[in-house]
PDB file of all heavy atoms in Angstrom:
ATOM      1  N   GLY A  16     154.774  42.042  96.157  1.00 85.00           N
ATOM      2  CA  GLY A  16     153.699  41.400  96.905  1.00 85.00           C
ATOM      3  C   GLY A  16     152.498  41.204  95.999  1.00 85.00           C
ATOM      4  O   GLY A  16     152.628  40.839  94.846  1.00 85.00           O
ATOM      5  N   ASP A  17     151.342  41.461  96.511  1.00 76.00           N
ATOM      6  CA  ASP A  17     150.125  41.403  95.689  1.00 76.00           C
ATOM      7  C   ASP A  17     149.640  42.816  95.413  1.00 76.00           C
ATOM      8  O   ASP A  17     148.459  43.128  95.521  1.00 76.00           O
ATOM      9  CB  ASP A  17     149.050  40.586  96.405  1.00 76.00           C
ATOM     10  CG  ASP A  17     149.433  39.127  96.482  1.00 76.00           C
ATOM     11  OD1 ASP A  17     150.009  38.624  95.505  1.00 76.00           O
ATOM     12  OD2 ASP A  17     149.163  38.497  97.521  1.00 76.00           O
ATOM     13  N   GLY A  18     150.606  43.673  95.064  1.00 82.00           N
ATOM     14  CA  GLY A  18     150.311  45.079  94.879  1.00 82.00           C
ATOM     15  C   GLY A  18     149.653  45.400  93.552  1.00 82.00           C
ATOM     16  O   GLY A  18     149.142  44.523  92.843  1.00 82.00           O
ATOM     17  N   ARG A  19     149.731  46.645  93.213  1.00 90.00           N
ATOM     18  CA  ARG A  19     149.027  47.171  92.039  1.00 90.00           C
ATOM     19  C   ARG A  19     149.450  46.467  90.763  1.00 90.00           C
ATOM     20  O   ARG A  19     150.620  46.156  90.571  1.00 90.00           O
ATOM     21  CB  ARG A  19     149.293  48.666  91.932  1.00 90.00           C
ATOM     22  CG  ARG A  19     148.514  49.367  90.831  1.00 90.00           C
ATOM     23  CD  ARG A  19     148.733  50.858  90.884  1.00 90.00           C
ATOM     24  NE  ARG A  19     148.201  51.441  92.116  1.00 90.00           N
ATOM     25  CZ  ARG A  19     146.965  51.864  92.242  1.00 90.00           C
ATOM     26  NH1 ARG A  19     146.118  51.770  91.235  1.00 90.00           N
ATOM     27  NH2 ARG A  19     146.566  52.398  93.374  1.00 90.00           N
ATOM     28  N   THR A  20     148.464  46.248  89.907  1.00 95.00           N
ATOM     29  CA  THR A  20     148.722  45.669  88.602  1.00 95.00           C
ATOM     30  C   THR A  20     148.245  46.618  87.517  1.00 95.00           C
ATOM     31  O   THR A  20     147.446  47.534  87.768  1.00 95.00           O
ATOM     32  CB  THR A  20     148.003  44.321  88.434  1.00 95.00           C
ATOM     33  OG1 THR A  20     146.586  44.521  88.586  1.00 95.00           O
ATOM     34  CG2 THR A  20     148.470  43.303  89.454  1.00 95.00           C
ATOM     35  N   ARG A  21     148.706  46.398  86.304  1.00 97.00           N
ATOM     36  CA  ARG A  21     148.203  47.153  85.167  1.00 97.00           C
ATOM     37  C   ARG A  21     148.290  46.273  83.928  1.00 97.00           C
ATOM     38  O   ARG A  21     149.095  45.338  83.881  1.00 97.00           O
ATOM     39  CB  ARG A  21     148.959  48.469  84.955  1.00 97.00           C
ATOM     40  CG  ARG A  21     150.389  48.327  84.477  1.00 97.00           C
ATOM     41  CD  ARG A  21     151.077  49.670  84.353  1.00 97.00           C
ATOM     42  NE  ARG A  21     152.470  49.534  83.945  1.00 97.00           N
ATOM     43  CZ  ARG A  21     153.428  50.343  84.355  1.00 97.00           C
ATOM     44  NH1 ARG A  21     153.155  51.345  85.173  1.00 97.00           N
ATOM     45  NH2 ARG A  21     154.672  50.173  83.932  1.00 97.00           N
ATOM     46  N   TYR A  22     147.467  46.617  82.948  1.00 98.00           N
ATOM     47  CA  TYR A  22     147.389  45.845  81.716  1.00 98.00           C
ATOM     48  C   TYR A  22     147.305  46.779  80.526  1.00 98.00           C
ATOM     49  O   TYR A  22     146.703  47.864  80.605  1.00 98.00           O
ATOM     50  CB  TYR A  22     146.134  44.948  81.714  1.00 98.00           C
ATOM     51  CG  TYR A  22     146.118  43.900  82.793  1.00 98.00           C
ATOM     52  CD1 TYR A  22     145.552  44.159  84.040  1.00 98.00           C
ATOM     53  CD2 TYR A  22     146.694  42.651  82.584  1.00 98.00           C
ATOM     54  CE1 TYR A  22     145.549  43.199  85.042  1.00 98.00           C
ATOM     55  CE2 TYR A  22     146.685  41.676  83.575  1.00 98.00           C
ATOM     56  CZ  TYR A  22     146.112  41.976  84.805  1.00 98.00           C
ATOM     57  OH  TYR A  22     146.119  41.009  85.793  1.00 98.00           O
ATOM     58  N   ALA A  23     147.875  46.351  79.429  1.00 97.00           N
ATOM     59  CA  ALA A  23     147.673  47.055  78.170  1.00 97.00           C
ATOM     60  C   ALA A  23     146.199  46.938  77.772  1.00 97.00           C
ATOM     61  O   ALA A  23     145.553  45.911  78.048  1.00 97.00           O
ATOM     62  CB  ALA A  23     148.560  46.461  77.085  1.00 97.00           C
ATOM     63  N   ASP A  24     145.683  47.965  77.135  1.00 97.00           N
ATOM     64  CA  ASP A  24     144.268  47.949  76.730  1.00 97.00           C
ATOM     65  C   ASP A  24     143.956  46.748  75.843  1.00 97.00           C
ATOM     66  O   ASP A  24     142.858  46.196  75.904  1.00 97.00           O
ATOM     67  CB  ASP A  24     143.916  49.240  75.989  1.00 97.00           C
ATOM     68  CG  ASP A  24     143.845  50.443  76.914  1.00 97.00           C
ATOM     69  OD1 ASP A  24     143.746  50.245  78.139  1.00 97.00           O
ATOM     70  OD2 ASP A  24     143.906  51.571  76.403  1.00 97.00           O
ATOM     71  N   SER A  25     144.926  46.332  75.055  1.00 97.00           N
ATOM     72  CA  SER A  25     144.695  45.255  74.090  1.00 97.00           C
ATOM     73  C   SER A  25     144.505  43.894  74.754  1.00 97.00           C
ATOM     74  O   SER A  25     144.022  42.958  74.106  1.00 97.00           O
ATOM     75  CB  SER A  25     145.873  45.169  73.112  1.00 97.00           C
ATOM     76  OG  SER A  25     147.087  44.968  73.813  1.00 97.00           O
ATOM     77  N   VAL A  26     144.862  43.768  76.037  1.00 98.00           N
ATOM     78  CA  VAL A  26     144.743  42.468  76.701  1.00 98.00           C
ATOM     79  C   VAL A  26     143.822  42.502  77.919  1.00 98.00           C
ATOM     80  O   VAL A  26     143.578  41.460  78.532  1.00 98.00           O
ATOM     81  CB  VAL A  26     146.130  41.924  77.134  1.00 98.00           C
ATOM     82  CG1 VAL A  26     147.083  41.895  75.949  1.00 98.00           C
ATOM     83  CG2 VAL A  26     146.719  42.723  78.288  1.00 98.00           C
ATOM     84  N   LYS A  27     143.298  43.667  78.265  1.00 98.00           N
ATOM     85  CA  LYS A  27     142.414  43.771  79.430  1.00 98.00           C
ATOM     86  C   LYS A  27     141.219  42.845  79.271  1.00 98.00           C
ATOM     87  O   LYS A  27     140.607  42.780  78.208  1.00 98.00           O
ATOM     88  CB  LYS A  27     141.936  45.204  79.608  1.00 98.00           C
ATOM     89  CG  LYS A  27     142.941  46.113  80.270  1.00 98.00           C
ATOM     90  CD  LYS A  27     142.389  47.523  80.430  1.00 98.00           C
ATOM     91  CE  LYS A  27     143.433  48.432  81.045  1.00 98.00           C
ATOM     92  NZ  LYS A  27     142.966  49.841  81.123  1.00 98.00           N
ATOM     93  N   GLY A  28     140.919  42.123  80.341  1.00 98.00           N
ATOM     94  CA  GLY A  28     139.793  41.192  80.313  1.00 98.00           C
ATOM     95  C   GLY A  28     140.152  39.823  79.759  1.00 98.00           C
ATOM     96  O   GLY A  28     139.352  38.886  79.875  1.00 98.00           O
ATOM     97  N   ARG A  29     141.335  39.691  79.172  1.00 98.00           N
ATOM     98  CA  ARG A  29     141.762  38.401  78.619  1.00 98.00           C
ATOM     99  C   ARG A  29     142.975  37.846  79.335  1.00 98.00           C
ATOM    100  O   ARG A  29     143.108  36.622  79.471  1.00 98.00           O
ATOM    101  CB  ARG A  29     142.085  38.550  77.124  1.00 98.00           C
ATOM    102  CG  ARG A  29     140.923  39.017  76.284  1.00 98.00           C
ATOM    103  CD  ARG A  29     141.250  38.928  74.791  1.00 98.00           C
ATOM    104  NE  ARG A  29     142.366  39.786  74.410  1.00 98.00           N
ATOM    105  CZ  ARG A  29     143.479  39.349  73.815  1.00 98.00           C
ATOM    106  NH1 ARG A  29     143.621  38.069  73.518  1.00 98.00           N
ATOM    107  NH2 ARG A  29     144.439  40.198  73.485  1.00 98.00           N
ATOM    108  N   PHE A  30     143.886  38.708  79.782  1.00 98.00           N
ATOM    109  CA  PHE A  30     145.127  38.282  80.434  1.00 98.00           C
ATOM    110  C   PHE A  30     145.056  38.618  81.923  1.00 98.00           C
ATOM    111  O   PHE A  30     144.478  39.636  82.318  1.00 98.00           O
ATOM    112  CB  PHE A  30     146.331  38.999  79.828  1.00 98.00           C
ATOM    113  CG  PHE A  30     146.691  38.597  78.421  1.00 98.00           C
ATOM    114  CD1 PHE A  30     145.857  37.822  77.645  1.00 98.00           C
ATOM    115  CD2 PHE A  30     147.893  39.006  77.876  1.00 98.00           C
ATOM    116  CE1 PHE A  30     146.192  37.467  76.352  1.00 98.00           C
ATOM    117  CE2 PHE A  30     148.266  38.657  76.590  1.00 98.00           C
ATOM    118  CZ  PHE A  30     147.407  37.898  75.824  1.00 98.00           C
ATOM    119  N   THR A  31     145.684  37.762  82.733  1.00 98.00           N
ATOM    120  CA  THR A  31     145.758  37.996  84.170  1.00 98.00           C
ATOM    121  C   THR A  31     147.171  37.700  84.649  1.00 98.00           C
ATOM    122  O   THR A  31     147.721  36.633  84.368  1.00 98.00           O
ATOM    123  CB  THR A  31     144.771  37.094  84.927  1.00 98.00           C
ATOM    124  OG1 THR A  31     143.440  37.324  84.444  1.00 98.00           O
ATOM    125  CG2 THR A  31     144.815  37.403  86.428  1.00 98.00           C
ATOM    126  N   ILE A  32     147.735  38.648  85.393  1.00 97.00           N
ATOM    127  CA  ILE A  32     149.070  38.465  85.972  1.00 97.00           C
ATOM    128  C   ILE A  32     148.907  38.097  87.440  1.00 97.00           C
ATOM    129  O   ILE A  32     148.024  38.619  88.132  1.00 97.00           O
ATOM    130  CB  ILE A  32     149.923  39.742  85.788  1.00 97.00           C
ATOM    131  CG1 ILE A  32     151.388  39.478  86.110  1.00 97.00           C
ATOM    132  CG2 ILE A  32     149.375  40.903  86.623  1.00 97.00           C
ATOM    133  CD1 ILE A  32     152.317  40.630  85.695  1.00 97.00           C
ATOM    134  N   SER A  33     149.761  37.192  87.918  1.00 96.00           N
ATOM    135  CA  SER A  33     149.658  36.755  89.315  1.00 96.00           C
ATOM    136  C   SER A  33     151.006  36.225  89.776  1.00 96.00           C
ATOM    137  O   SER A  33     151.906  35.981  88.972  1.00 96.00           O
ATOM    138  CB  SER A  33     148.588  35.674  89.465  1.00 96.00           C
ATOM    139  OG  SER A  33     148.944  34.507  88.738  1.00 96.00           O
ATOM    140  N   ARG A  34     151.116  36.058  91.096  1.00 95.00           N
ATOM    141  CA  ARG A  34     152.362  35.542  91.684  1.00 95.00           C
ATOM    142  C   ARG A  34     152.101  34.236  92.441  1.00 95.00           C
ATOM    143  O   ARG A  34     151.037  34.060  93.021  1.00 95.00           O
ATOM    144  CB  ARG A  34     152.921  36.545  92.705  1.00 95.00           C
ATOM    145  CG  ARG A  34     153.406  37.845  92.148  1.00 95.00           C
ATOM    146  CD  ARG A  34     153.996  38.680  93.280  1.00 95.00           C
ATOM    147  NE  ARG A  34     154.458  39.989  92.848  1.00 95.00           N
ATOM    148  CZ  ARG A  34     155.673  40.232  92.389  1.00 95.00           C
ATOM    149  NH1 ARG A  34     156.542  39.248  92.292  1.00 95.00           N
ATOM    150  NH2 ARG A  34     156.022  41.461  92.029  1.00 95.00           N
ATOM    151  N   ASP A  35     153.112  33.384  92.430  1.00 94.00           N
ATOM    152  CA  ASP A  35     153.180  32.249  93.355  1.00 94.00           C
ATOM    153  C   ASP A  35     154.465  32.439  94.139  1.00 94.00           C
ATOM    154  O   ASP A  35     155.560  32.147  93.655  1.00 94.00           O
ATOM    155  CB  ASP A  35     153.180  30.919  92.598  1.00 94.00           C
ATOM    156  CG  ASP A  35     153.133  29.725  93.538  1.00 94.00           C
ATOM    157  OD1 ASP A  35     153.668  29.804  94.669  1.00 94.00           O
ATOM    158  OD2 ASP A  35     152.564  28.693  93.153  1.00 94.00           O
ATOM    159  N   LYS A  36     154.321  32.948  95.353  1.00 93.00           N
ATOM    160  CA  LYS A  36     155.504  33.287  96.145  1.00 93.00           C
ATOM    161  C   LYS A  36     156.340  32.048  96.463  1.00 93.00           C
ATOM    162  O   LYS A  36     157.566  32.095  96.457  1.00 93.00           O
ATOM    163  CB  LYS A  36     155.078  33.989  97.425  1.00 93.00           C
ATOM    164  CG  LYS A  36     154.335  35.289  97.186  1.00 93.00           C
ATOM    165  CD  LYS A  36     153.791  35.875  98.476  1.00 93.00           C
ATOM    166  CE  LYS A  36     152.914  37.089  98.211  1.00 93.00           C
ATOM    167  NZ  LYS A  36     152.357  37.660  99.443  1.00 93.00           N
ATOM    168  N   ALA A  37     155.687  30.948  96.735  1.00 94.00           N
ATOM    169  CA  ALA A  37     156.408  29.728  97.100  1.00 94.00           C
ATOM    170  C   ALA A  37     157.284  29.228  95.955  1.00 94.00           C
ATOM    171  O   ALA A  37     158.332  28.627  96.180  1.00 94.00           O
ATOM    172  CB  ALA A  37     155.420  28.643  97.522  1.00 94.00           C
ATOM    173  N   LYS A  38     156.844  29.492  94.731  1.00 96.00           N
ATOM    174  CA  LYS A  38     157.598  29.047  93.566  1.00 96.00           C
ATOM    175  C   LYS A  38     158.465  30.155  92.975  1.00 96.00           C
ATOM    176  O   LYS A  38     159.122  29.935  91.960  1.00 96.00           O
ATOM    177  CB  LYS A  38     156.634  28.507  92.509  1.00 96.00           C
ATOM    178  CG  LYS A  38     155.896  27.249  92.952  1.00 96.00           C
ATOM    179  CD  LYS A  38     155.014  26.698  91.854  1.00 96.00           C
ATOM    180  CE  LYS A  38     154.331  25.409  92.311  1.00 96.00           C
ATOM    181  NZ  LYS A  38     153.456  24.840  91.265  1.00 96.00           N
ATOM    182  N   ASN A  39     158.418  31.346  93.602  1.00 96.00           N
ATOM    183  CA  ASN A  39     159.223  32.475  93.119  1.00 96.00           C
ATOM    184  C   ASN A  39     158.932  32.752  91.640  1.00 96.00           C
ATOM    185  O   ASN A  39     159.840  33.007  90.841  1.00 96.00           O
ATOM    186  CB  ASN A  39     160.723  32.206  93.331  1.00 96.00           C
ATOM    187  CG  ASN A  39     161.525  33.479  93.506  1.00 96.00           C
ATOM    188  OD1 ASN A  39     160.987  34.531  93.839  1.00 96.00           O
ATOM    189  ND2 ASN A  39     162.823  33.384  93.286  1.00 96.00           N
ATOM    190  N   THR A  40     157.666  32.687  91.310  1.00 97.00           N
ATOM    191  CA  THR A  40     157.233  32.724  89.916  1.00 97.00           C
ATOM    192  C   THR A  40     156.083  33.712  89.732  1.00 97.00           C
ATOM    193  O   THR A  40     155.205  33.830  90.606  1.00 97.00           O
ATOM    194  CB  THR A  40     156.796  31.312  89.463  1.00 97.00           C
ATOM    195  OG1 THR A  40     157.935  30.446  89.506  1.00 97.00           O
ATOM    196  CG2 THR A  40     156.244  31.323  88.046  1.00 97.00           C
ATOM    197  N   VAL A  41     156.104  34.398  88.613  1.00 97.00           N
ATOM    198  CA  VAL A  41     154.995  35.254  88.188  1.00 97.00           C
ATOM    199  C   VAL A  41     154.394  34.628  86.932  1.00 97.00           C
ATOM    200  O   VAL A  41     155.129  34.224  86.028  1.00 97.00           O
ATOM    201  CB  VAL A  41     155.464  36.685  87.910  1.00 97.00           C
ATOM    202  CG1 VAL A  41     154.343  37.519  87.281  1.00 97.00           C
ATOM    203  CG2 VAL A  41     155.933  37.341  89.211  1.00 97.00           C
ATOM    204  N   TYR A  42     153.077  34.568  86.900  1.00 98.00           N
ATOM    205  CA  TYR A  42     152.383  33.967  85.776  1.00 98.00           C
ATOM    206  C   TYR A  42     151.672  35.021  84.945  1.00 98.00           C
ATOM    207  O   TYR A  42     151.274  36.076  85.449  1.00 98.00           O
ATOM    208  CB  TYR A  42     151.340  32.957  86.277  1.00 98.00           C
ATOM    209  CG  TYR A  42     151.920  31.810  87.054  1.00 98.00           C
ATOM    210  CD1 TYR A  42     151.786  31.755  88.442  1.00 98.00           C
ATOM    211  CD2 TYR A  42     152.610  30.790  86.422  1.00 98.00           C
ATOM    212  CE1 TYR A  42     152.317  30.705  89.171  1.00 98.00           C
ATOM    213  CE2 TYR A  42     153.150  29.734  87.143  1.00 98.00           C
ATOM    214  CZ  TYR A  42     152.998  29.705  88.515  1.00 98.00           C
ATOM    215  OH  TYR A  42     153.533  28.662  89.227  1.00 98.00           O
ATOM    216  N   LEU A  43     151.484  34.695  83.685  1.00 98.00           N
ATOM    217  CA  LEU A  43     150.612  35.472  82.813  1.00 98.00           C
ATOM    218  C   LEU A  43     149.634  34.482  82.187  1.00 98.00           C
ATOM    219  O   LEU A  43     150.012  33.709  81.310  1.00 98.00           O
ATOM    220  CB  LEU A  43     151.395  36.208  81.729  1.00 98.00           C
ATOM    221  CG  LEU A  43     150.556  37.141  80.858  1.00 98.00           C
ATOM    222  CD1 LEU A  43     150.084  38.345  81.685  1.00 98.00           C
ATOM    223  CD2 LEU A  43     151.345  37.617  79.641  1.00 98.00           C
ATOM    224  N   GLN A  44     148.413  34.486  82.706  1.00 98.00           N
ATOM    225  CA  GLN A  44     147.361  33.645  82.154  1.00 98.00           C
ATOM    226  C   GLN A  44     146.743  34.375  80.971  1.00 98.00           C
ATOM    227  O   GLN A  44     146.252  35.497  81.131  1.00 98.00           O
ATOM    228  CB  GLN A  44     146.298  33.349  83.208  1.00 98.00           C
ATOM    229  CG  GLN A  44     145.126  32.522  82.695  1.00 98.00           C
ATOM    230  CD  GLN A  44     145.517  31.114  82.328  1.00 98.00           C
ATOM    231  OE1 GLN A  44     146.258  30.457  83.049  1.00 98.00           O
ATOM    232  NE2 GLN A  44     145.019  30.630  81.191  1.00 98.00           N
ATOM    233  N   MET A  45     146.769  33.735  79.818  1.00 98.00           N
ATOM    234  CA  MET A  45     146.283  34.364  78.595  1.00 98.00           C
ATOM    235  C   MET A  45     145.109  33.552  78.055  1.00 98.00           C
ATOM    236  O   MET A  45     145.279  32.382  77.693  1.00 98.00           O
ATOM    237  CB  MET A  45     147.409  34.426  77.559  1.00 98.00           C
ATOM    238  CG  MET A  45     148.668  35.106  78.079  1.00 98.00           C
ATOM    239  SD  MET A  45     149.927  35.344  76.805  1.00 98.00           S
ATOM    240  CE  MET A  45     150.308  33.652  76.369  1.00 98.00           C
ATOM    241  N   ASN A  46     143.949  34.168  78.030  1.00 98.00           N
ATOM    242  CA  ASN A  46     142.743  33.512  77.541  1.00 98.00           C
ATOM    243  C   ASN A  46     142.242  34.200  76.284  1.00 98.00           C
ATOM    244  O   ASN A  46     142.602  35.343  75.997  1.00 98.00           O
ATOM    245  CB  ASN A  46     141.650  33.548  78.614  1.00 98.00           C
ATOM    246  CG  ASN A  46     142.038  32.806  79.868  1.00 98.00           C
ATOM    247  OD1 ASN A  46     142.777  31.817  79.826  1.00 98.00           O
ATOM    248  ND2 ASN A  46     141.537  33.267  81.011  1.00 98.00           N
ATOM    249  N   ASN A  47     141.396  33.501  75.554  1.00 98.00           N
ATOM    250  CA  ASN A  47     140.797  34.042  74.322  1.00 98.00           C
ATOM    251  C   ASN A  47     141.878  34.658  73.425  1.00 98.00           C
ATOM    252  O   ASN A  47     141.758  35.808  72.977  1.00 98.00           O
ATOM    253  CB  ASN A  47     139.728  35.075  74.671  1.00 98.00           C
ATOM    254  CG  ASN A  47     138.918  35.497  73.458  1.00 98.00           C
ATOM    255  OD1 ASN A  47     138.835  34.768  72.470  1.00 98.00           O
ATOM    256  ND2 ASN A  47     138.325  36.680  73.538  1.00 98.00           N
ATOM    257  N   LEU A  48     142.907  33.888  73.178  1.00 98.00           N
ATOM    258  CA  LEU A  48     144.039  34.396  72.405  1.00 98.00           C
ATOM    259  C   LEU A  48     143.646  34.686  70.969  1.00 98.00           C
ATOM    260  O   LEU A  48     142.790  34.001  70.384  1.00 98.00           O
ATOM    261  CB  LEU A  48     145.192  33.396  72.459  1.00 98.00           C
ATOM    262  CG  LEU A  48     145.976  33.429  73.777  1.00 98.00           C
ATOM    263  CD1 LEU A  48     146.763  32.148  73.975  1.00 98.00           C
ATOM    264  CD2 LEU A  48     146.888  34.638  73.819  1.00 98.00           C
ATOM    265  N   LYS A  49     144.285  35.710  70.425  1.00 98.00           N
ATOM    266  CA  LYS A  49     144.016  36.163  69.063  1.00 98.00           C
ATOM    267  C   LYS A  49     145.304  36.090  68.244  1.00 98.00           C
ATOM    268  O   LYS A  49     146.396  36.142  68.814  1.00 98.00           O
ATOM    269  CB  LYS A  49     143.516  37.605  69.094  1.00 98.00           C
ATOM    270  CG  LYS A  49     142.291  37.818  69.968  1.00 98.00           C
ATOM    271  CD  LYS A  49     141.918  39.280  70.040  1.00 98.00           C
ATOM    272  CE  LYS A  49     140.692  39.505  70.930  1.00 98.00           C
ATOM    273  NZ  LYS A  49     140.320  40.932  71.007  1.00 98.00           N
ATOM    274  N   PRO A  50     145.202  36.015  66.942  1.00 97.00           N
ATOM    275  CA  PRO A  50     146.428  35.979  66.120  1.00 97.00           C
ATOM    276  C   PRO A  50     147.344  37.172  66.387  1.00 97.00           C
ATOM    277  O   PRO A  50     148.570  37.021  66.331  1.00 97.00           O
ATOM    278  CB  PRO A  50     145.875  35.993  64.694  1.00 97.00           C
ATOM    279  CG  PRO A  50     144.548  35.324  64.813  1.00 97.00           C
ATOM    280  CD  PRO A  50     143.994  35.782  66.127  1.00 97.00           C
ATOM    281  N   GLU A  51     146.771  38.313  66.716  1.00 97.00           N
ATOM    282  CA  GLU A  51     147.607  39.491  66.979  1.00 97.00           C
ATOM    283  C   GLU A  51     148.355  39.400  68.304  1.00 97.00           C
ATOM    284  O   GLU A  51     149.178  40.272  68.611  1.00 97.00           O
ATOM    285  CB  GLU A  51     146.764  40.769  66.937  1.00 97.00           C
ATOM    286  CG  GLU A  51     145.528  40.744  67.790  1.00 97.00           C
ATOM    287  CD  GLU A  51     144.283  40.354  67.009  1.00 97.00           C
ATOM    288  OE1 GLU A  51     144.360  39.428  66.164  1.00 97.00           O
ATOM    289  OE2 GLU A  51     143.220  40.975  67.252  1.00 97.00           O
ATOM    290  N   ASP A  52     148.098  38.381  69.103  1.00 98.00           N
ATOM    291  CA  ASP A  52     148.875  38.152  70.324  1.00 98.00           C
ATOM    292  C   ASP A  52     150.186  37.415  70.024  1.00 98.00           C
ATOM    293  O   ASP A  52     151.025  37.245  70.927  1.00 98.00           O
ATOM    294  CB  ASP A  52     148.071  37.331  71.331  1.00 98.00           C
ATOM    295  CG  ASP A  52     146.845  38.070  71.853  1.00 98.00           C
ATOM    296  OD1 ASP A  52     146.959  39.276  72.128  1.00 98.00           O
ATOM    297  OD2 ASP A  52     145.775  37.428  71.974  1.00 98.00           O
ATOM    298  N   THR A  53     150.364  36.982  68.794  1.00 98.00           N
ATOM    299  CA  THR A  53     151.584  36.272  68.411  1.00 98.00           C
ATOM    300  C   THR A  53     152.800  37.174  68.586  1.00 98.00           C
ATOM    301  O   THR A  53     152.839  38.296  68.063  1.00 98.00           O
ATOM    302  CB  THR A  53     151.485  35.803  66.954  1.00 98.00           C
ATOM    303  OG1 THR A  53     150.443  34.836  66.850  1.00 98.00           O
ATOM    304  CG2 THR A  53     152.804  35.187  66.500  1.00 98.00           C
ATOM    305  N   ALA A  54     153.777  36.694  69.352  1.00 98.00           N
ATOM    306  CA  ALA A  54     154.968  37.487  69.664  1.00 98.00           C
ATOM    307  C   ALA A  54     155.904  36.652  70.525  1.00 98.00           C
ATOM    308  O   ALA A  54     155.529  35.573  71.012  1.00 98.00           O
ATOM    309  CB  ALA A  54     154.589  38.761  70.413  1.00 98.00           C
TER     310      ALA A  54
END
């Protein structure tokens, strides 16, 4: 559902996880990306 979330310290404040139930999809919005996010 829209229950508890958690984030790694390295991405807190930059990444956001969310759901779109109608699309059966979970998103990861990544902002202010850094070279160390490459993976």
Side-chain angles (χ1 to χ4, degrees):
D17 292 322
R19 186 174 295 271
T20 60
R21 69 183 178 214
Y22 297 91
D24 288 343
S25 57
V26 306
K27 280 181 182 176
R29 300 189 298 123
F30 290 11
T31 303
I32 192 169
S33 64
R34 293 183 182 272
D35 185 329
K36 299 173 187 179
K38 295 183 178 180
N39 208 20
T40 296
V41 172
Y42 299 105
L43 185 69
Q44 177 67 43
M45 306 186 297
N46 298 328
N47 190 23
L48 283 160
K49 304 175 181 180
E51 51 264 41
D52 294 319
T53 295

